[in-house]
Amino acid sequence: MAGSERIFLQAIRRYCAGHGIAVEIRSGGWLIAMRRGATCRFAFGYDIGLNSAIAHRLANDKSAAGEALSLAQVPCVPHHLFLNPSLGVHVAGTAWHDAMLALLAQNPQGVVVKPNEGTSGRAVFKVTNRNELDRAMTEVFSSSLGLVIAPYVEIEDEVRVILLEGRPMIVYRKERPSVTGDGVHTLHELATAAGHGRQLRELEARETKNVLAKGERRILNWRHNLDAGAEPVLMDDGEVRAACVKLAADAASAIGITFASIDVVRVDGAWRVLEINSGVMMEALAKLHPELVHATYDAALDRVFGED
């Protein structure tokens, strides 16, 4: 088995080997056929095949998911949809740019621009002025049919809840990279020594030259994405975990999704849903807790093949 093979694929191979299920890999590992007798089930990308088509589409569409959650009165971060103008005025309309500028004006703290579909924090931009908005818009529209604009909010905490049929399988915080000052070294020196040098590109150059006061903690990235350097930290039982699970379960119920990872954030002391992901990706978590990841995929595959 190749060391670079995705944990998702490794988990499927291992499960199928133990249950007499033949596995056939196509499309460079992104399409997986699982056969047992006359039964054939497919996994695609990180979607294991438990979710309905409409639930999958709602989850993968940030704007539609937000609308569905609002209809169900589930607290969420709003995502305003803008279609690529290359689709034509009959689809994208003519006032889309003015509407973008209006949203920016309504949110003086800034907005976040990102593809309407997609994960891992790619092509996600924090925007505070028109020039930044136009650059972000151009970048996202170069590879996406639609983008969403959400108000920038100071996220105090972000938690991912992985649910299977409403049951929390894994709950973890996304802990962003940070350094603590010693009153001697600059932010650049502290981050480099801690192995967070690549995070400095998120900051202005003059800021990295500042000496941090002793005991001062500085978070290096405004994004909580695991691909952006955040670390998954499992949560213990308690009120906070219970609140996150309850909110995630309400969100899953609102769109009728069976197996999903749901990101919830705390803003001004209140929890709300940020995103729902139909494809359950646990590559970063598997480096720390492989047994937990395999157990979760095993439980999902039991449902796929009708096991108890």
Side-chain angles (χ1 to χ4, degrees), residues 80 82 96-113 127-130 133 149-152:
H80 301 274
F82 294 90
W96 55 271
H97 195 252
D98 288 341
M100 287 183 179
L101 292 173
L103 280 174
L104 182 59
Q106 293 164 17
N107 295 278
Q109 79 281 7
V111 296
V112 176
V113 179
V127 166
T128 57
N129 57 58
R130 178 171 181 160
L133 175 63
I149 295 180
Y152 174 76

Side-chain angles (χ1 to χ4, degrees), residues 123-134:
V124 176
F125 302 91
K126 180 184 176 184
V127 166
T128 57
N129 57 58
R130 178 171 181 160
N131 288 337
E132 291 176 348
L133 175 63
D134 287 344

Side-chain angles (χ1 to χ4, degrees), residues 286-300:
K287 296 175 183 178
L288 301 173
H289 304 284
E291 72 294 336
L292 192 57
V293 169
H294 281 291
T296 299
Y297 282 135
D298 284 354

